[in-house]
Amino acid sequence: HLLGEQTIPVFFGMRQFQAERNIILTTKDYEAEARRLAKVAGIAPTPVIIPDPFKPADTRRAITKQVDKLPADAKVAVNMTGGTKLMFAGALSACWELGLDPFYFEIRHHNVIFLRDGTHVPFVGIPDVEDFLKAGNFKVLTAGRWDAVPAREERRPLTSALWEKRHVLRKLYYDKGFRDFGDQQYRAPRTAFKFSWAGGEVELNNSGDARLVLDGATLDVPRGDDLFQYIAGGWLEEHVYSLLRPLESEGLIRDLRIGFEAGYGGDSRSDPAQEFDCTFTDGKRLWIVECKAGTVRQEHIQKLENNLKRYGGVAARGILVSSFPLTTPNRN
């Protein structure tokens, strides 16, 4: 396996084949990453250090040296997907000279391509959202299971009603007092509140009883500690999750999560965390869904793009769900 900045292609390779031995070729800069990745994958290869990843001959010599240590009848394949382009060139040269099988993960059509004869076979991929995070050296802070918040199932009818009446909520999201109050609510979710605006009213009293009126109709609100977060946009996340859940039941997507939180290494809950509104895998790629019940700004789009690269690698895909039409600059 050629290892550079992208770890997921190596992870794919380790999962694709039940090899007796995996050998990672990398540079000194990525030696620790190679060892970590091997531990996550549950195997124990010893990384081979290439002096210069921009000299093809260094990669070719490293592969030749490793092959010389193997039995003469050993079957050897080389994962060409990671590393630098010049590492690729050196590895390909070694493959032609030594009769090895070079292969490449072609993400768009979910194929493994064997470069010697052009054979395409489906690749195994990663069916578990958490595996993507572990491959990138992130840890799971919150598993993001639907039933972790019992009120979600109870308020599914309300969630559907809010989608139909989302135009009424628009003026609430423009209210500065509502936005400012949100900072306090996220720190103390049980705090009582009351907001009225043209077309609606929402209230949570100190006893935990809630009242919601939209377009003159009073809607049934189940009891729950997270009402403000729900009204502020959590309802859209739950609506999107409900739309995706049948796709998971049909096997089109896997491991659907809501409110999934990831953090950098370490053991402290105080580590910087990133929450995904919804996330899932199609077995080959990580998908991240960003839900915006209010105004969508360019920074929200940039955040989604950054998260895709950081947590899912170059093959990750993102979906931006907005309650209202995007502005022309954001659509472009």
Side-chain angles (χ1 to χ4, degrees):
H1 308 276
L2 307 181
L3 173 64
E5 292 184 0
Q6 290 289 328
T7 58
I8 288 180
V10 176
F11 201 72
F12 276 146
M14 292 178 176
R15 289 293 176 85
Q16 181 74 31
F17 302 101
Q18 297 298 316
E20 291 184 13
R21 185 179 179 189
N22 285 270
I23 301 173
I24 299 178
L25 276 66
T26 189
T27 63
K28 195 66 178 177
D29 290 342
Y30 295 105
E31 180 179 5
E33 185 67 1
R35 295 183 182 278
R36 183 200 64 78
L37 189 63
K39 183 177 180 180
V40 169
I43 59 177
T46 300
V48 174
I49 305 303
I50 299 172
D52 190 340
F54 299 103
K55 290 182 178 179
D58 284 2
T59 301
R60 179 176 57 79
R61 281 193 293 267
I63 293 176
T64 301
K65 184 176 181 180
Q66 293 303 311
V67 171
D68 287 343
K69 298 177 182 179
L70 301 175
D73 60 348
K75 295 181 180 180
V76 182
V78 182
N79 182 358
M80 311 285 286
T81 320
T84 66
K85 292 180 180 179
L86 294 179
M87 286 174 68
F88 181 102
L92 191 61
S93 176
C95 289
W96 297 153
E97 292 176 8
L98 303 173
L100 315 181
D101 282 319
F103 67 90
Y104 188 89
F105 286 104
E106 196 280 298
I107 302 299
R108 182 178 298 274
H109 298 103
H110 299 166
N111 287 323
V112 179
I113 303 176
F114 287 89
L115 303 182
R116 185 172 293 280
D117 60 7
T119 301
H120 288 208
V121 297
F123 72 85
V124 173
I126 303 177
D128 188 324
V129 165
E130 296 188 17
D131 269 356
F132 278 96
L133 277 294
K134 293 174 183 175
N137 199 23
F138 297 99
K139 66 176 182 177
V140 176
L141 299 179
T142 302
R145 302 296 184 185
W146 172 264
D147 55 7
V149 180
R152 285 175 177 154
E153 195 63 32
E154 296 180 51
R155 62 192 178 206
R156 285 183 67 187
L158 175 61
T159 298
S160 297
L162 290 184
W163 173 256
E164 297 300 326
K165 294 181 176 294
R166 61 191 183 279
H167 62 282
V168 184
L169 291 171
R170 192 167 193 172
K171 290 185 178 179
L172 174 63
Y173 296 148
Y174 287 146
D175 185 287
K176 185 177 184 302
F178 179 82
R179 296 198 306 270
D180 291 345
F181 188 72
D183 293 336
Q184 304 173 30
Q185 277 292 297
Y186 282 110
R187 290 193 296 269
R190 286 190 172 185
T191 304
F193 62 86
K194 181 176 181 180
F195 286 94
S196 300
W197 69 99
E201 181 179 330
V202 61
E203 178 181 5
L204 176 70
N205 64 27
N206 289 319
S207 299
D209 298 317
R211 181 169 180 268
L212 177 61
V213 180
L214 297 178
D215 263 352
T218 299
L219 303 179
D220 182 34
V221 182
R223 294 176 66 92
D225 294 337
D226 61 343
L227 180 62
F228 185 87
Q229 291 92 329
Y230 176 76
I231 293 298
W235 67 268
L236 182 58
E237 298 168 21
E238 294 181 18
H239 177 65
V240 170
Y241 182 96
S242 296
L243 295 177
L244 291 170
R245 187 150 62 175
L247 301 182
E248 184 181 31
S249 299
E250 294 169 15
L252 296 177
I253 65 174
R254 307 179 190 181
D255 204 20
L256 177 62
R257 309 289 185 98
I258 180 172
F260 180 82
E261 281 189 325
Y264 293 96
D267 299 320
S268 173
R269 285 283 306 189
S270 64
D271 288 343
Q274 176 60 55
E275 180 179 354
F276 304 139
D277 294 339
C278 291
T279 187
F280 58 90
T281 170
D282 57 11
K284 319 297 181 182
R285 298 169 295 198
L286 181 70
W287 290 71
I288 297 175
V289 185
E290 182 76 10
C291 302
K292 301 306 298 182
T295 302
V296 176
R297 297 189 295 271
Q298 183 60 38
E299 64 190 68
H300 299 141
I301 298 173
Q302 188 62 53
K303 172 189 173 185
L304 177 58
E305 292 177 347
N306 292 340
N307 283 340
L308 291 173
K309 295 176 184 176
R310 181 177 298 117
Y311 296 99
V314 294
R317 294 291 183 268
I319 301 173
L320 177 66
V321 180
S322 172
S323 293
F324 310 109
L326 299 178
T327 62
T328 299
N330 286 338
R331 285 201 303 270
N332 296 335

